[in-house]
Amino acid sequence: MPAFSRFLRYFMAVGRLGSIRKAAEVLNVSASAIDRQILNVEADLGMPLFERLPTGLRLTAAGEIMMAAGGRWQKNLSDVRAQIEDLRGLKRGHVDIAVIDALAKGYLPGIVRSLQSRYPGITIGVRVVENDKVRAAIMNGEVDFGIFFEPQSYRGITVRAFVEVVLGLITPPDHPLGQRKEARFSAVTGSALIVPAEPLAVSQQIAVLEGITGVVLDRTVTSDNIQMIVSLVLEGVGIGILTSIDVFTEIKRGLLNFTRISDSILRPMTLALGTATARTPSYAASIVLAEIENDFAQLGYAGAAPTVAPEV
């Protein structure tokens, strides 16, 4: 193993575990060999990578930079190996994806199932995180691509596909509001509501609506988890406020209705499939990307409703 890759392997193990002794046990090498590698590199850099504390080792600012670089190096090495496999005509490799919480059910699991049956040599890691963390994971090279809101806010990301999703009211099928295609935000006045909380992206849109319209929401329940909000609406606790993508699966199955909030101040949100501009996807990642791109349009707001009653 080249000296640099050996050092990074030792360094990252110590960085994760906070102890040379623990790293030595995990890697099955001597503690002195690990310590020597780290000391040599610290001498070359002219600054420490770790603070030596009585309780263990803690990364310095320089160590944090080295740790992030090591993660990118490991990812790039994995991509190189996948490309070499491509030259041998094998559809193999590992693909890491970051997505927002709304995609943890329905659409993406269906894509993964399809890929697994046709490309059993490709393994997939799915990271479900907050919107800003999806963007960061793409930019830092932690994942091959991600799906997140509002890509126009970020540089260095190439948008491969996008759709517009809208904010609306989530109701059981028998609720009167659920029979409308659209309704103004004021239609929720007096109703028990299940309202998204930060860091969910839609919470900001709701705050803007409240401020401009003057509508006071009866927050029966607030939650920072989309599935919890959906479950509470299904239980009849109240009306939910979410985007069309958040209840994509439940609407398709006829479990919930979606009524778009029609206030003119409210603009659609852009949901995007993005990759880092500076990186070329591996062959395995390209296969998965193509599969998702082909079906991405179905995530857009269809605007359909069971029946449409005149808006009051």
Side-chain angles (χ1 to χ4, degrees):
M1 182 181 292
F4 181 64
S5 60
R6 183 166 57 249
F7 157 73
L8 271 182
R9 183 166 169 256
Y10 294 172
F11 167 78
M12 294 186 72
V14 176
R16 286 192 302 269
L17 299 170
S19 165
I20 290 178
R21 179 184 56 80
K22 290 179 182 178
E25 292 173 356
V26 170
L27 298 174
N28 196 27
V29 297
S30 69
S32 60
I34 294 176
D35 191 38
R36 184 167 56 253
Q37 286 280 337
I38 292 173
L39 289 172
N40 287 343
V41 172
E42 287 180 326
D44 287 342
L45 293 173
M47 62 178 60
L49 296 174
F50 292 100
E51 293 181 55
R52 273 72 175 177
L53 305 172
T55 54
L57 276 69
R58 184 171 63 192
L59 290 165
T60 62
E64 294 282 0
I65 294 172
M66 183 68 75
M67 197 76 173
R72 291 192 296 270
W73 177 81
Q74 287 183 331
K75 179 63 180 171
N76 289 338
L77 180 60
S78 176
D79 290 346
V80 168
R81 286 175 174 162
Q83 291 169 29
I84 291 172
E85 292 289 347
D86 297 343
L87 293 175
R88 297 169 56 193
L90 301 175
K91 292 182 173 64
R92 297 182 181 278
H94 180 78
V95 180
D96 285 309
I97 309 169
V99 300
I100 56 174
D101 184 53
L103 295 172
K105 54 182 170 52
Y107 169 77
L108 191 58
I111 295 287
V112 172
R113 183 184 66 246
S114 174
L115 285 162
Q116 184 186 43
S117 64
R118 286 183 292 137
Y119 305 103
I122 296 177
T123 59
I124 298 174
V126 182
R127 184 183 304 185
V128 181
V129 292
E130 298 163 17
N131 198 66
D132 286 345
K133 290 183 179 178
V134 175
R135 185 267 311 170
I138 297 171
M139 295 294 295
N140 294 337
E142 298 169 22
V143 296
D144 294 283
F145 60 87
I147 303 175
F148 63 109
F149 281 124
E150 307 303 340
Q152 60 270 31
S153 304
Y154 308 117
R155 295 181 179 178
I157 290 181
T158 298
V159 174
R160 308 290 295 255
F162 71 92
V163 293
E164 288 189 339
V165 299
V166 297
L167 194 66
L169 308 176
I170 314 303
T171 55
D174 58 351
H175 194 285
L177 265 178
Q179 307 310 307
R180 301 187 193 178
K181 181 179 179 180
E182 296 183 345
R184 295 187 67 81
F185 188 57
S186 57
V188 302
T189 302
S191 297
L193 297 173
I194 305 158
V195 183
E198 291 185 348
L200 293 179
V202 293
S203 67
Q204 299 171 7
Q205 286 200 316
I206 294 170
V208 170
L209 276 169
E210 284 187 279
I212 293 178
T213 64
V215 172
V216 179
L217 300 182
D218 180 4
R219 286 175 162 79
T220 301
V221 182
T222 60
S223 177
D224 63 356
N225 182 273
I226 290 171
Q227 189 54 55
M228 175 58 72
I229 295 171
V230 171
S231 297
L232 289 168
V233 176
L234 288 169
E235 289 292 332
V237 174
I239 297 172
I241 305 178
L242 289 171
T243 71
S244 51
I245 189 64
D246 294 324
V247 285
F248 174 81
T249 303
E250 289 77 13
I251 292 171
K252 284 188 67 175
R253 294 176 179 172
L255 299 175
L256 292 174
N257 285 351
F258 180 86
T259 302
R260 178 178 182 172
I261 297 174
S262 60
D263 296 60
S264 59
I265 61 169
L266 197 62
R267 65 174 183 82
M269 299 175 71
T270 301
L271 181 74
L273 170 65
T275 59
T277 303
R279 291 186 63 208
T280 300
S282 68
Y283 184 59
S286 296
I287 290 175
V288 179
L289 269 169
E291 187 79 12
I292 294 178
E293 283 182 74
N294 289 340
D295 291 332
F296 206 71
Q298 68 176 280
L299 293 174
Y301 173 62
T307 58
V308 180
E311 184 178 332
V312 179

